[in-house]
Amino acid sequence: MRERSRPRGRREAGGGGGTGGAEASPRGERRGDLAEGGSHGPAMEEGAADLRQRKKQNCSESDKMAPEQRNKENSKLGRSPKYMLIQRFAKLFFGCLAAVTSGMMYAVYLSTYHERKFWFSSRQELEREITFQGDSAIYYSFYKELLKAPSFERGVYELTHNNKTVSLKTINAVQQMTLYPELIASVLYQASGSEEVIEPVYFYIGIVFGLQGIYVTALFVTSWVMSGTWLAGMLTVAWFIINRTDTTRIDYSIPSRENWALPYFACQVAALTGYLKKNLNCSAEKFCYLLVNASTYTFMMMWEYSHYLLFVQAVSLFLLDSFALAQTEKVHEVYKIYLFSLFLGYLLQFENSALLVSPLLSFVAALMLSKCLQMNMKKGTFMSRLLKVMYIYLVLTVAVTLNFLLKMFVPYKENEHLLKFIEVKLGLNTTKNFTMNWLLCQESLQAPSQDFFLRLTQSSLLPFYILVLIICLFSVTQVIFRRICGEPLKEAVKLEDGRIGERPEIVYHVIHTILLGCLAMCLEGMKYLWTPYVCMLAAFGVCSPELWMTLFKWLRLKAVHPILLALILSMAVPTIIGFSLWKEFFPRIMTELTELQEFYDPDTVELMTWIKRQAPVAAVFAGSPQLMGVIKLCTGWMVSSLPLYNDDDLLKRNENIYQIYSKRSAEDIYKILTSYKANFLVIEDSICNEVGPVRGCRVKDLLDIANGHVVCEEDDNYAYSKYGRFCHEIKMNYSPYVNYFTRVYWNRSYFVYRINTVISFQS
């Protein structure tokens, strides 16, 4: 023990100026720095400066020493450096080629499937636009307005001061609806001179499909970086496409914000994975750092809820750093990226106060304030372990306090419906409010169904994910236990060590998928965030020799050499999985692409045609928010409500206008509609005569509960009201309904009524 301790003391005293300082263990360096800075402030600053200087020297020395070490290893194996260089280049080239090809093929697949589903090329413009439903129609309508504007600056001004969409309301559509994707798409369309080459709708959806290709490529690269083989990337892409129903919403709403934003988040995760790796050369580290910067900011600009997802990521990094499983300097650099992105996003999003009161800002600020305390924790003593628990408590307490103070002083109107929804969802409260109950009835906000888990099991994704997750969790637990006992991490984990839990990028992904999985178990809509990373983690695990070696280390295999068996299984298992997936699912995918589907809605086409030909230009239409979005897109006429759920005023409007399907008098409905200056009312027969799969979740049922027209006693519902259901009674054409409303158009699905300005009381 004496002979070992003496060289360590000499290395610490050497300060890292020569090779001895470069070989010193990180634990010894931290002890030396803390000893120097424990008593005086200037000494601490000098120690920190020495640490940064040694970090730069070690980085440059590692870049210089890496080729020499590889040459020595290659000479031992009888291989020339030139041969190894060619081998590495070939591996990198074919891996990148496979990643890019996978992304391009997926984009082509989406485009082909979309064409087969909607017959897009053979449709007229109106029929194409009808395929955009709900909020998707609103997003695309603003893209059309930007292209019609005389100049880009004028189009942006009209969107930021928009008073031609919702009656009696001027909105900043760019800020409220996060229209930065449409701004970028319109600039690219006009600047590239694509007006004479491609139609605007094809250009728009082509960008979205291209981003989905980048999404798949980023997942490919992430799995490749973690496992060391691009076979894992191929398996990730295969699982992603096979489980497309649960990995993306691109089939249902092309212009949705997450379809624009999540590809950038996937690029950020891929760059962060590389950035967290140990023994990374300086050039690769700087590239990953810059890519994390750019993708984080872009992701924040594309989606209004992006800071919540980044908050989950920040929690993952916090836990990773709290157990001393990653370099603290790297983790805090990522925190600085969060702060920079929030600040820049606040300025460029018209001083969006939602970013100031976001949990991400409060949490990262609390972490930065506690940075000095955390550095003093990593000493390995019993007191430091006790203080580490207090440190975690301190960070959480400071974060909650900061968030509370920010909400007190920052002029921000909190989304009350979101807080009430969380209370009701957690069972802390009950409500009869129409909006709350309507949100709770949405499929995306309910717990995932058994079919979801069945689909993941049939594709073999879920079983392998659970296997990989269990092995990684046990390995991480072992590493944490060793850290608690004071054992340092290894600088370079070798295959024969069987310690996959010591790799920081692996630990990060394990924590991240667990947190996203917990959210997905509560809300089915969160599965679109969780399932892609399930594909990536499962593919990495089965293709990683380190994971198999970790398992064999526990089993203590002696009959077969564990390293050889791990290498064999890391190739054989994904190959078998790939062939089984090819045999079972490839025919289904080809059937989807060759089968001609038909989407045709003649009633909606007739309604839009009538509005464009017969309705006055200044008319305002009232009806369900989903239909109003389509009317705004296809005709350009003003509407009284929109299918948006991030604004309390719009939610109140939607609830009031939905009263046309309730049991209220004609006079009440007339007063509601005229208060929003509506001229025409559109009744949808599908809502009025809705026969939903879940009784109590139909629009008319929720309205009856909110209006007190239903009494529940001993599991029986009793309805009472002195008025009939408005949407039924108005079709009878008798007084007093004909006094307030005049039918001007109808077909099998829609009934359009003009709201009389002069009321006639003749029966």
Side-chain angles (χ1 to χ4, degrees):
M1 293 297 292
R2 292 180 182 176
E3 294 178 359
R4 292 182 180 178
S5 61
R6 287 175 185 172
R8 179 180 295 179
R10 286 196 296 270
R11 285 195 295 269
E12 291 175 0
T19 56
E23 293 174 358
S25 66
R27 187 181 176 193
E29 290 176 359
R30 285 196 293 268
R31 285 183 176 178
D33 294 336
L34 293 172
E36 292 174 359
S39 57
H40 301 287
M44 180 179 291
E45 294 178 0
E46 293 176 2
D50 291 340
L51 179 61
R52 288 192 294 269
Q53 186 177 2
R54 286 198 300 272
K55 182 181 177 183
K56 293 179 180 178
Q57 291 175 352
N58 293 340
C59 185
S60 60
E61 289 175 4
S62 64
D63 286 346
K64 296 177 182 178
M65 293 296 294
E68 298 178 3
Q69 292 175 357
R70 292 193 203 101
N71 292 341
K72 292 179 181 179
E73 293 175 359
N74 296 337
S75 62
K76 292 179 181 179
L77 296 173
R79 299 173 181 172
S80 64
K82 186 177 180 180
Y83 170 79
M84 291 301 298
L85 183 63
I86 295 175
Q87 186 181 29
R88 290 184 62 203
F89 176 78
K91 180 181 178 181
L92 181 64
F93 174 77
F94 286 109
C96 293
L97 182 64
V100 174
T101 303
S102 298
M104 293 178 62
M105 290 183 65
Y106 180 62
V108 172
Y109 164 74
L110 289 177
S111 178
T112 306
Y113 177 76
H114 183 263
E115 172 65 26
R116 292 288 181 176
K117 182 177 180 180
F118 295 109
W119 293 20
F120 222 61
S121 59
S122 59
R123 300 288 188 188
Q124 297 179 357
E125 183 180 3
L126 178 61
E127 295 173 338
R128 292 174 184 171
E129 292 176 349
I130 287 176
T131 61
F132 297 106
Q133 298 290 322
D135 58 345
S136 299
I138 294 298
Y139 294 130
Y140 185 73
S141 69
F142 288 122
Y143 168 71
K144 280 181 58 179
E145 290 184 12
L146 280 169
L147 296 181
K148 292 178 180 178
S151 65
F152 177 74
E153 293 78 7
R154 182 62 185 175
V156 173
Y157 178 82
E158 291 179 353
L159 290 185
T160 54
H161 303 78
N162 188 282
N163 58 1
K164 299 179 180 179
T165 299
V166 184
S167 61
L168 302 179
K169 190 176 179 67
T170 300
I171 60 175
N172 184 344
V174 177
Q175 178 187 6
Q176 188 166 349
M177 303 178 192
T178 319
L179 296 180
Y180 297 98
E182 282 67 32
L183 295 179
I184 296 173
S186 62
V187 168
L188 291 177
Y189 183 73
Q190 294 174 337
S192 61
S194 301
E195 295 92 337
E196 300 178 358
V197 180
I198 188 173
E199 297 180 48
V201 64
Y202 280 108
F203 187 84
Y204 185 85
I205 64 176
I207 292 179
V208 181
F209 291 157
L211 285 174
Q212 298 307 302
I214 295 176
Y215 191 4
V216 165
T217 301
L219 292 174
F220 184 109
V221 172
T222 305
S223 186
W224 179 16
V225 170
M226 292 170 64
S227 63
T229 171
W230 48 268
L231 185 62
M234 300 292 290
L235 186 57
T236 300
V237 174
W239 265 328
F240 183 92
I241 296 176
I242 290 170
N243 296 281
R244 195 182 75 254
T245 306
D246 304 306
T247 56
T248 177
R249 288 206 309 159
I250 193 70
D251 289 353
Y252 315 110
S253 55
I254 293 176
S256 64
R257 300 300 86 178
E258 58 261 41
N259 288 335
W260 286 89
L262 290 181
Y264 296 102
F265 182 68
C267 292
Q268 190 252 26
V269 170
L272 182 61
T273 303
Y275 185 66
L276 292 175
K277 286 177 69 71
K278 294 180 181 179
N279 302 322
L280 194 66
N281 63 68
C282 287
S283 300
E285 184 176 322
K286 290 178 182 178
F287 173 76
C288 291
Y289 176 78
L290 293 175
L291 185 56
V292 171
N293 257 301
S295 54
T296 301
Y297 172 70
T298 308
F299 173 60
M300 190 169 292
M301 294 294 292
M302 292 292 170
W303 194 20
E304 60 182 315
Y305 299 117
S306 58
H307 55 89
Y308 291 111
L309 187 54
L310 291 175
F311 169 70
V312 176
Q313 187 183 69
V315 173
S316 305
L317 293 173
F318 166 66
L319 295 175
L320 180 68
D321 184 48
S322 298
F323 294 116
L325 300 177
Q327 296 181 24
T328 302
E329 294 80 8
K330 286 188 176 182
V331 174
H332 282 275
E333 286 298 324
V334 179
Y335 294 157
K336 293 176 184 178
I337 292 174
Y338 292 151
L339 293 177
F340 172 76
S341 299
L342 285 169
F343 175 72
L344 200 59
Y346 170 75
L347 294 180
L348 297 182
Q349 291 183 12
F350 305 93
E351 298 183 357
N352 186 5
S353 56
L355 297 179
L356 296 181
V357 298
S358 67
L360 176 64
L361 178 60
S362 304
F363 187 69
V364 173
L367 287 168
M368 300 300 287
L369 291 174
S370 307
K371 179 180 179 180
C372 296
L373 180 61
Q374 184 188 21
M375 291 178 65
N376 291 320
M377 292 300 127
K378 298 179 181 179
K379 296 181 181 179
T381 62
F382 173 77
M383 183 58 66
S384 69
R385 297 167 204 153
L386 181 62
L387 289 176
K388 186 171 288 294
V389 179
M390 296 178 60
Y391 163 75
I392 297 175
Y393 174 76
L394 174 66
V395 170
L396 297 178
T397 304
V398 173
V400 173
T401 305
L402 280 175
N403 190 258
F404 177 76
L405 293 175
L406 286 171
K407 289 181 178 179
M408 286 182 59
F409 294 102
V410 175
Y412 171 69
K413 186 178 179 181
E414 186 72 59
N415 289 332
E416 297 180 0
H417 68 279
L418 181 60
L419 299 177
K420 291 180 181 178
F421 170 78
I422 295 175
E423 289 181 2
V424 177
K425 184 68 178 179
L426 296 177
L428 303 177
N429 197 359
T430 57
T431 181
K432 293 184 178 180
N433 181 267
F434 169 80
T435 302
M436 290 300 101
N437 289 326
W438 185 82
L439 290 173
L440 289 170
C441 285
Q442 298 304 301
E443 184 178 355
S444 61
L445 298 178
Q446 296 179 358
S449 61
Q450 293 181 355
D451 294 339
F452 168 61
F453 300 103
L454 183 61
R455 288 192 297 268
L456 297 187
T457 304
Q458 288 176 342
S459 64
S460 72
L461 174 60
L462 190 60
F464 282 106
Y465 169 73
I466 294 175
L467 173 64
V468 172
L469 187 63
I470 290 174
I471 295 175
C472 291
L473 271 178
F474 274 109
S475 182
V476 171
T477 305
Q478 283 184 334
V479 174
I480 294 174
F481 182 75
R482 294 192 193 103
R483 296 293 291 149
I484 293 175
C485 296
E487 182 180 339
L489 294 174
K490 286 191 173 185
E491 279 297 316
V493 180
K494 298 180 181 179
L495 177 60
E496 57 267 20
D497 294 333
R499 292 188 177 185
I500 199 169
E502 289 194 8
R503 291 176 57 185
E505 70 275 16
I506 305 300
V507 182
Y508 158 72
H509 280 287
V510 169
I511 299 174
H512 197 196
T513 53
I514 290 176
L515 294 179
L516 291 178
C518 293
L519 295 175
M521 295 305 103
C522 299
L523 304 173
E524 186 169 0
M526 296 298 295
K527 70 181 182 181
Y528 300 111
L529 303 177
W530 178 60
T531 313
Y533 295 98
V534 170
C535 300
M536 182 268 299
L537 192 67
F540 141 75
V542 298
C543 297
S544 173
E546 290 183 63
L547 183 128
W548 294 110
M549 190 63 199
T550 302
L551 178 61
F552 298 153
K553 200 80 173 179
W554 296 337
L555 299 178
R556 298 181 180 179
L557 290 179
K558 295 182 180 179
V560 183
H561 198 285
I563 296 180
L564 179 61
L565 184 59
L567 292 172
I568 293 174
L569 288 180
S570 64
M571 294 293 293
V573 173
T575 303
I576 295 173
I577 295 173
F579 275 116
S580 63
L581 294 178
W582 177 278
K583 182 179 179 181
E584 182 175 357
F585 293 98
F586 182 74
R588 301 183 189 180
I589 294 175
M590 295 307 298
T591 302
E592 286 182 349
L593 296 180
T594 56
E595 185 179 52
L596 289 175
Q597 304 181 41
E598 183 175 2
F599 177 86
Y600 187 56
D601 190 356
D603 293 341
T604 305
V605 172
E606 292 174 5
L607 174 64
M608 301 304 156
T609 304
W610 180 87
I611 292 175
K612 295 175 72 174
R613 292 177 179 176
Q614 302 295 330
V617 177
V620 177
F621 282 81
S624 69
Q626 288 73 24
L627 180 61
M628 294 301 101
V630 179
I631 289 178
K632 174 60 183 174
L633 168 60
C634 297
T635 66
W637 266 244
M638 191 178 294
V639 295
S640 58
S641 60
L642 290 176
L644 300 174
Y645 312 108
N646 58 355
D647 183 87
D648 291 333
D649 179 63
L650 287 176
L651 285 174
K652 188 63 179 176
R653 279 177 175 243
N654 295 345
E655 181 178 352
N656 289 337
I657 294 176
Y658 263 130
Q659 297 296 326
I660 60 178
Y661 300 104
S662 68
K663 298 179 178 180
R664 296 185 63 173
S665 65
E667 183 180 1
D668 289 344
I669 302 299
Y670 180 81
K671 290 180 179 179
I672 291 173
L673 297 177
T674 53
S675 67
Y676 296 118
K677 301 298 182 182
N679 305 117
F680 290 90
L681 170 65
V682 183
I683 300 289
E684 295 176 68
D685 200 55
S686 59
I687 299 178
C688 189
N689 299 318
E690 182 180 5
V691 183
V694 180
R695 185 175 180 84
C697 275
R698 299 177 299 182
V699 170
K700 52 187 180 182
D701 296 336
L702 298 176
L703 289 169
D704 292 344
I705 294 173
N707 296 334
H709 296 159
V710 172
V711 178
C712 300
E713 295 181 0
E714 298 179 358
D715 298 331
D716 292 329
N717 296 334
Y718 300 95
Y720 73 96
S721 176
K722 62 180 181 179
Y723 302 107
R725 196 167 301 280
F726 176 82
C727 61
H728 288 154
E729 300 296 324
I730 194 175
K731 297 176 185 178
M732 303 298 180
N733 288 330
Y734 61 80
S735 183
Y737 296 93
V738 294
N739 301 332
Y740 297 100
F741 307 96
T742 302
R743 187 167 64 186
V744 292
Y745 174 80
W746 72 93
N747 59 28
R748 293 176 300 176
S749 302
Y750 303 102
F751 294 81
V752 182
Y753 296 86
R754 185 179 65 247
I755 302 172
N756 299 331
T757 54
V758 179
I759 303 175
S760 173
F761 290 97
Q762 297 179 359
S763 59

